[in-house]
Amino acid sequence: MFRFAVSNAFRRKGIAIFAIVGTALGIALMTVLLSISDGMDKQMNEMMDELAAGIAVYPKAAPLGFMMPSPIGMPISYADEIETIENVDRVSPQITVFVPTEDYEFGDPMGTLLRGMDLEREIEEDDPVAPGNIIKGEPLTIASEDEVILGTLAATAAKGGDYAKVGGTMELPVLGSGSATITLTVVGIFETGNTMHDYSIYTDLDTARSLTPTIAADEVNYIGVRATSIDYVSGVAEEIEAMFENRDVPVSTTVAKEMLESFTEMMGTFSSFLWIVSLVAAIAGGVSIFIVMLISVIERTKEFGILKASGWSNRNIISSVVIQSITIGLLGAALGLAIGYGGGLGIDNYINRDIAIITWRLVLIIAAFGIAMGLVGGLYPALRAARVSPIESLRAL
């Protein structure tokens, strides 16, 4: 019976192909959307693992808080004082500068960050400026002047010109100086595996300070702090704020965990939206199976009557039609998965990021939807086929 049911799925090749293609299109959209959702969840979890113990320290009077680089500075000596706090693992004073997309495109629709690092401080292996992270060109050195290194994601996402290649140059505007610019030379490309770092530009403190003249020679506008454990993050952040509360330049702190948790909530909402769209697409595919199976049952009314007259039970008839519809559903799911995989690769190549990932969990979900669509789409036609009267079918011969 199984072989009979499967072969009957292709008795009318035209409508069978219509059902398979209709199902495949819905499954393809579902595959792309859910693979993007899984990819974003993976990247968010990786960032949570790496940055959860981080604390951003910036001037309390910063116009946009931690969201954008501050034109207001704070004494670089704050970094040395923060190092004395218990449960602080490391401290990194920086000068951050915003590079808008209208100046240079580095993949982000708004722009990216240029981070000036204190190269005289101890450099750890996981620092973007560490020599071991350089994959092309040379690392920054203490003697570097007007030199930058680019993250690999920023370099590959850049559009036009040679500014994202080793030896390329960028002319960045000096903040608040009208038309004045400074030419920076790209000396290296680095890769850390961290999305946030690999979309950034790094240079030395003096070069970054020359782009933000409102920051004095003994000041920075950002201090990155990492606690020894995620358990101490909140306590360290509170102690930092209390330490500088009565200084000329008080500071605010933002705990990376809290910031990332807000992003996680947004991602959860976005993932729910993707699931809803995917379900609508899958239901549309199930409707095509329903229509095709209903047409098939109507055309085979006499055949079902003869089969029942020859001894087939209602259960046999229902099973035959359902197996036929599930076969179409699974073939549509397989084709849709292949199309969706190709679509995900296209998206990855376009945005230069591995955002769409196909996991075994997703493959199982797609296969389950294929079976479910076949079952639901073929159930009513199967019940209709089981109600066929063998006597009336024989009379019609």
Side-chain angles (χ1 to χ4, degrees), residues 79-335:
D80 296 326
E81 295 185 59
I82 292 173
E83 283 183 322
T84 65
I85 296 176
E86 188 178 1
N87 298 317
V88 168
D89 180 40
R90 63 168 306 191
V91 179
S92 176
Q94 303 174 22
I95 294 177
T96 58
V97 182
F98 183 65
V99 181
T101 299
E102 52 263 31
D103 290 336
Y104 292 98
E105 288 196 38
F106 287 106
D108 191 285
M110 292 184 62
T112 191
L113 284 181
L114 181 145
R115 296 178 179 271
M117 303 284 289
D118 186 353
L119 299 179
E120 295 184 358
R121 299 178 74 90
E122 182 179 356
I123 303 298
E124 298 190 9
E125 291 182 0
D126 60 347
D127 280 325
V129 295
N133 291 326
I134 302 298
I135 59 175
K136 292 181 182 179
E138 302 292 335
L140 295 170
T141 65
I142 295 177
S144 294
E145 182 178 354
D146 296 341
E147 294 179 346
V148 297
I149 58 175
L150 302 182
T152 182
L153 293 179
T156 55
K159 299 178 181 178
D162 65 350
Y163 62 88
K165 301 176 183 178
V166 173
T169 60
M170 295 183 294
E171 286 192 14
L172 297 183
V174 177
L175 183 66
S177 65
S179 59
T181 62
I182 293 178
T183 301
L184 306 180
T185 302
V186 179
V187 296
I189 307 294
F190 70 87
E191 183 173 24
T192 65
N194 179 288
T195 301
M196 185 179 69
H197 293 328
D198 291 347
Y199 259 120
S200 299
I201 308 170
Y202 283 80
T203 187
D204 64 288
L205 274 181
D206 289 337
T207 299
R209 188 177 288 114
S210 66
L211 292 167
T212 313
T214 57
I215 307 296
D218 59 347
E219 292 182 337
V220 292
N221 62 358
Y222 177 91
I223 299 176
V225 179
R226 187 171 67 197
T228 54
S229 168
I230 189 174
D231 298 328
Y232 302 123
V233 169
S234 298
V236 169
E238 291 174 1
E239 192 167 346
I240 291 173
E241 291 191 6
M243 176 179 283
F244 304 107
E245 184 177 6
N246 297 317
R247 302 288 182 89
D248 291 339
V249 184
V251 302
S252 293
T253 60
T254 296
V255 176
K257 179 184 176 183
E258 296 175 355
M259 180 178 65
L260 291 175
E261 283 177 349
S262 65
F263 280 121
T264 302
E265 291 178 3
M266 289 191 297
M267 289 304 305
T269 303
F270 184 62
S271 295
S272 298
F273 171 75
L274 294 182
W275 266 100
I276 293 172
V277 175
S278 299
L279 288 173
V280 171
I283 291 171
V287 170
S288 67
I289 294 177
F290 171 79
I291 294 172
V292 168
M293 293 309 303
L294 189 58
I295 293 173
S296 175
V297 166
I298 293 173
E299 289 182 341
R300 297 169 59 198
T301 299
K302 294 179 182 180
E303 177 185 331
F304 288 128
I306 294 172
L307 289 173
K308 292 183 72 173
S310 63
W312 277 44
S313 64
N314 287 341
R315 182 177 179 180
N316 294 141
I317 296 294
I318 292 173
S319 298
S320 173
V321 175
V322 169
I323 290 173
Q324 180 181 341
S325 63
I326 290 177
T327 299
I328 292 175
L330 283 174
L331 289 173
L335 179 60

Side-chain angles (χ1 to χ4, degrees), residues 201 369 395:
I201 308 170
F369 266 96
R395 285 175 180 173

Side-chain angles (χ1 to χ4, degrees), residues 1 14 48 58 78 96 140-141 266 286 305-306 340 347 350-351 353 379:
M1 183 186 70
M48 283 284 287
Y58 48 91
Y78 281 11
T96 58
L140 295 170
T141 65
M266 289 191 297
I306 294 172
I347 292 173
Y350 180 75
I351 65 174
R353 293 178 65 182
L379 191 58

